[in-house]
Amino acid sequence: MTAPDRLSPGDPAPEFTLATDTGDQLSLADLRGRKVVLYAYPAAMTPGCTKQACDFRDSLAALQAAGYEVVGISPDKPEKLAKFRERDAITFPLVSDQDRAVLTAYGAYGEKQLYGKTVTGVIRSTFVIDADGKIERALYNVKATGHVAKLRRDLGLD
């Protein structure tokens, strides 16, 4: 597997309909007319992913006040996402992309460096999608810690 194709500002955001942590379905089309922060993370309930999810949770009011909806996406099963939501009081939808098709479409699954080795997996990424469904920002290889604060600054929320 080679490095995935990356999205750029102005590209249409790949559509999806995925199972959520509540067992419902969530489609990107359901969020049309609103701005969306879609963030891809490797695995629920791991230290880095927990930190990042909690940072989004703690920033949710500010993001929503500015018109943004937050959605987390990982290859975890909905049942694991439900445990993650309950354990860490996650207050935004988590969607399950078990076959990694959506992650791949966003360029957030493929080869990456992990501790100096090339591995295939989820590339921690964040996508800001405008109300018309176009990519506003595509941020790849973001850090779990400090990323949400930087995103808030970049979006002019702080």
Side-chain angles (χ1 to χ4, degrees):
M1 180 173 239
T2 58
D5 290 334
R6 301 231 165 153
L7 296 173
S8 300
D11 288 346
E15 289 293 336
F16 62 82
T17 299
L18 295 169
T20 71
D21 54 319
T22 63
D24 294 327
Q25 297 279 309
L26 178 70
S27 297
L28 185 59
D30 296 340
L31 301 172
R32 195 72 73 242
R34 292 178 271 177
K35 297 179 280 187
V36 177
V37 174
L38 177 68
Y39 81 96
Y41 61 97
M45 297 196 278
T46 57
C49 296
T50 298
K51 171 73 174 132
Q52 188 177 23
C54 291
D55 284 352
F56 272 114
R57 176 199 66 205
D58 296 346
S59 292
L60 191 61
L63 288 161
Q64 287 179 331
Y68 293 95
E69 297 295 327
V70 175
V71 177
I73 181 171
S74 78
D76 295 307
K77 292 180 179 174
E79 299 80 15
K80 185 174 181 187
L81 297 176
K83 287 179 186 167
F84 188 33
R85 180 193 70 235
E86 290 164 18
R87 186 190 79 173
D88 295 295
I90 307 300
T91 52
F92 52 84
L94 301 171
V95 296
S96 171
D97 184 22
Q98 291 181 70
D99 67 4
R100 299 161 181 83
V102 176
L103 289 162
T104 300
Y106 276 83
Y109 185 82
E111 285 186 356
K112 64 180 185 175
Q113 293 296 309
L114 186 66
Y115 305 114
K117 292 183 178 167
T118 301
V119 299
T120 299
V122 175
I123 299 162
R124 192 181 304 276
S125 308
T126 299
F127 306 93
V128 179
I129 303 166
D130 70 17
D132 297 321
K134 300 261 190 240
I135 298 291
E136 200 173 282
R137 295 169 193 256
L139 309 167
Y140 293 95
N141 296 308
V142 301
K143 302 289 182 211
T145 303
H147 169 64
V148 175
K150 181 180 181 339
L151 180 66
R152 286 174 51 140
R153 286 191 304 276
D154 290 350
L155 295 174
L157 304 182
D158 290 336

